Amino acid sequence: MARIPYSRVVDVTVTREDRFASAQGFSTALLLTSTSIIGQLDATRRTKLYATIEEVAVDWLPITEEYKAAQRFFQARVRPPALKFGYFNPAGPFAAELDTLYAADPDWYWGLHLKALNDTANQRALADWAEGRNVIFGLDSNDPDTETPTAVPDASATVTMTIASPGVITWNAHGLAAGDPVRLATTGALPTGLTAGTIYYVAATPAPAANTFSLAATAGGTAIATTGTQSGTHTATAPKFGGSIAEYCESKSYDRSPVFYHTYPDSYLAAAAWGYAAGRNLDRSNYALARRGRIDSGQAYTLKFKNLPGVTALNKSSAVVQAITGFVPSLGVQGDAGHAANCYVNIGGLDMLLEGTVPSRAFIDEIHATDWMRARMQESVLSLLANAPRVPMTNTGGGYLISGGVEPPLRRAFAAGIIADTVDPASGDLVPAFETEVDDVLSIPVAQRRNRIAPDIKVRFRYAGAVHFASVTMTMQF
C-alpha cells in the first residue's frame, strides 16, 4: 500500500544553530622558566602543558626550582587542571621575550615565576607587562622592606663618572644589580650621552662591580659610551621604591600583579594561591540552587582564609602583618597602613592566606570574576549574532539581544555566586540582582543605524563579594 509523505501535510525544517564562540579558559596557569628542553620547550615551542606533578617529574628533577614551584601548585586540595611551563630566553630583552611567549600561546590566565625573579628589575618589568594583558601574574617577594608600612627612601649617593666607552660610574657599595634602574641629577653638566632625569639601567656588560657600574638605555641593552666634558656634582638615585615590589606595584595601583610576601624564597606562596584559584571553575554552577538561596550553587570564592598545603606560616607580629597587607580590622585594606600585599599567617591555630588583594586594593576574586564575565558576555553575544539569520535594528531586535545574548551569562554569573541575589517584590522569590537597559533605536543617530551599530546595552549588577571581617556585640543581662 502506498504511503503519502508527511510533507504533504506538515513540512518541518530543522536547522542546527551550532556556531558558538570558543570559550576562554580560566583554569590554566603558566610558570616562566629560562631552562629549555630541546624540541619540547624552547624558542620554537614556547610552552609545554602538564596535568599532574607526576608528568612534571618526567622532565624536571625534584631539586629544580621548576619542580618545587609546580609541586606547590599541584598540592592544592582541589587539584587544578593544568600548568604550562613557558620558556623565555634569558639573553633576550625580557619584555620582548614575554611578548613572544604570549603571542605563541595566550591560552592561560594565572602567571607564575621562579624565585630567581623575586625582587628584581625583571620582576618589575613583569608587573608592567601583565597590566596590559588579560592575565594575573602572582609575584613572590622576600624583600623585608615590605614589613615597613611607610615608603622606604630610594638609595641615592654622590657619584663620579668617566668619559669613556663605556662610561663608568663610581658609587661606593651601591648594591645594584644588572637591570636595576638609575636616575641621574647634576648641579652642572653630565657627559654627552647621559641626560639628567632619564631612567637608565645598570648594564650587564661590563658586569657591575662592588663600587662601579655602567649604564644602558634599556634593561639588558648595550652600555652607553660617554663623550665631551662634564661639570658640577653628580647624584645617582636607584628608583626602586625601596627595592620592594609591593611598594612599586602599589604606587602604580596595578590590578594584575598581586604580591605574595614570605621570608622564605622556597615557599612559592603565589603558586600555592594560584593552585587554589585555578581549581575554582566559575562555569560549574547550578541556577536552581542559586534561586533557592544556596551559597554553594557555584564556585565563586575569596582567597582570604584559605589553607595552602606545603606553605609555612609567617612568624610575624600583627603590626608587621598589617604593614604587609594594609588590612585594618573593621576598616579593611587602607593605603596608609600597608602595601596591599598578601601573606600567610596563623590565626587561632589555623594557617591561612591574608588578604587576597591586588596592589590597587581590589580583590583577586573581583579581577577574576570581571574577566570571566566579560569573556562569557562576548562569547554569548557573538554566538547569538552568528547563529541568527539577522537581528533587526529595531526595539524588538534590541530586546532579543538582551534576552538571548546578555541575560544568559548574567544568570550564569548569578549561579556561580558572582552576582548577588535580591528578593522579587512581586513573587517573593530570590532573583539575580542585575538590571539591563537599552535606548530606543530612534534615539540614536541615523548614521549609527545606517552603519548597523546597535544602541549601547547597559547592565548594572551587584557583586556578591565576600565577608572578610565580622563583629558581634553581646550583652550580658542579669
Side-chain angles (χ1 to χ4, degrees):
M1 179 178 179
R3 291 194 175 186
I4 305 301
Y6 286 105
S7 59
R8 296 276 302 179
V9 178
V10 179
D11 186 19
V12 176
T13 301
V14 177
T15 301
R16 294 202 324 270
E17 295 184 349
D18 57 1
R19 298 178 63 214
F20 298 102
S22 298
Q24 180 179 334
F26 291 88
S27 297
T28 300
L30 180 132
L31 174 65
L32 290 176
T33 177
S34 59
T35 303
S36 63
I37 303 174
I38 302 301
Q40 300 182 55
L41 182 65
D42 52 28
T44 58
R45 293 178 176 85
R46 287 283 177 164
T47 61
K48 182 174 182 179
L49 185 142
Y50 300 93
T52 65
I53 191 62
E54 288 77 18
E55 291 183 356
V56 174
V58 173
D59 292 333
W60 308 90
L61 293 174
I63 61 172
T64 63
E65 295 303 319
E66 287 82 0
Y67 181 91
K68 293 175 185 177
Q71 182 181 43
R72 192 72 75 238
F73 178 79
F74 282 117
Q75 281 178 324
R77 299 193 186 284
V78 176
R79 189 65 53 84
L83 173 64
K84 292 180 178 179
F85 281 29
Y87 172 76
F88 71 94
N89 183 350
F94 187 62
E97 283 294 302
L98 294 175
D99 286 338
T100 301
L101 192 162
Y102 194 67
D105 185 356
D107 295 327
W108 51 276
Y109 185 71
W110 307 98
L112 297 165
H113 62 76
L114 301 178
K115 69 179 184 182
L117 285 183
N118 290 10
D119 308 304
T120 64
N122 277 347
Q123 189 183 49
R124 292 189 291 278
L126 180 57
D128 296 338
W129 180 89
E131 198 63 19
R133 307 297 188 284
N134 194 50
V135 301
I136 302 182
F137 241 105
L139 307 180
D140 281 310
S141 174
N142 317 115
D143 193 321
D145 287 346
T146 313
E147 299 181 11
T148 304
T150 56
V152 177
D154 293 331
S156 185
T158 298
V159 300
T160 61
M161 55 190 70
T162 63
I163 305 293
S165 181
V168 176
I169 293 176
T170 298
W171 176 351
N172 291 330
H174 55 75
L176 300 176
D180 282 347
V182 174
R183 183 176 58 244
L184 302 174
T186 184
T187 61
L190 294 172
T192 301
L194 297 173
T195 303
T198 298
I199 297 295
Y200 296 101
Y201 299 86
V202 176
T205 305
N211 300 315
T212 61
F213 56 88
S214 295
L215 293 176
T218 59
T222 303
I224 295 171
T226 53
T227 59
T229 60
Q230 58 180 312
S231 64
T233 300
H234 307 321
T235 303
T237 301
K240 297 170 59 179
F241 300 90
S244 164
I245 185 65
E247 191 176 328
Y248 177 80
C249 293
E250 181 193 18
S251 73
K252 294 178 176 289
S253 295
Y254 278 167
D255 279 337
R256 298 187 175 276
S257 48
V259 176
F260 294 85
Y261 176 75
H262 206 288
T263 52
Y264 303 113
D266 286 342
S267 294
Y268 284 114
L269 181 56
W274 280 184
Y276 178 90
R280 305 297 294 181
N281 186 346
L282 299 179
D283 290 301
R284 297 182 62 181
S285 59
N286 188 303
Y287 187 76
L289 290 181
R291 288 287 303 273
R292 293 203 292 269
R294 291 275 295 272
I295 65 171
D296 61 348
S297 64
Q299 297 203 22
Y301 65 96
T302 174
L303 278 174
K304 185 171 182 176
F305 308 121
K306 297 304 174 287
N307 176 262
L308 304 175
V311 181
T312 301
L314 280 175
N315 183 22
K316 298 292 181 180
S317 67
S318 294
V320 171
V321 171
Q322 180 167 299
I324 296 168
T325 63
F327 181 82
V328 180
S330 78
L331 294 179
V333 179
Q334 304 294 304
D336 57 353
H339 298 295
N342 302 281
C343 63
Y344 197 65
V345 302
N346 184 285
I347 299 178
L350 301 175
D351 292 346
M352 63 182 66
L353 184 73
L354 304 179
E355 291 288 327
T357 53
V358 297
S360 67
R361 297 192 289 278
F363 292 95
I364 293 168
D365 57 274
E366 291 177 16
I367 307 302
H368 182 191
T370 52
D371 285 346
W372 179 86
M373 288 187 65
R374 184 186 303 110
R376 296 299 175 260
M377 186 67 71
Q378 290 171 334
E379 294 154 7
S380 179
V381 174
L382 175 59
S383 296
L384 180 144
L385 294 172
N387 283 295
R390 68 162 184 156
V391 176
M393 183 63 76
T394 63
N395 290 334
T396 301
Y400 181 65
L401 277 174
I402 290 176
S403 63
V406 174
E407 290 186 348
L410 293 175
R411 288 193 292 269
R412 290 177 66 184
F414 170 64
I418 295 171
I419 292 180
D421 57 37
T422 189
V423 177
D424 185 335
S427 66
D429 295 335
L430 287 177
V431 294
F434 69 76
E435 298 176 356
T436 59
E437 182 180 353
V438 63
D439 284 340
D440 189 302
V441 293
L442 294 180
S443 69
I444 64 175
V446 173
Q448 182 175 338
R449 295 200 301 271
R450 174 64 180 80
N451 285 298
R452 302 189 173 190
I453 308 300
D456 182 47
I457 299 172
K458 293 179 173 56
V459 176
R460 290 178 296 275
F461 66 90
R462 184 164 63 85
Y463 185 54
V467 174
H468 279 192
F469 181 84
S471 61
V472 179
T473 301
M474 298 189 297
T475 301
M476 180 183 288
Q477 297 181 332
F478 295 93

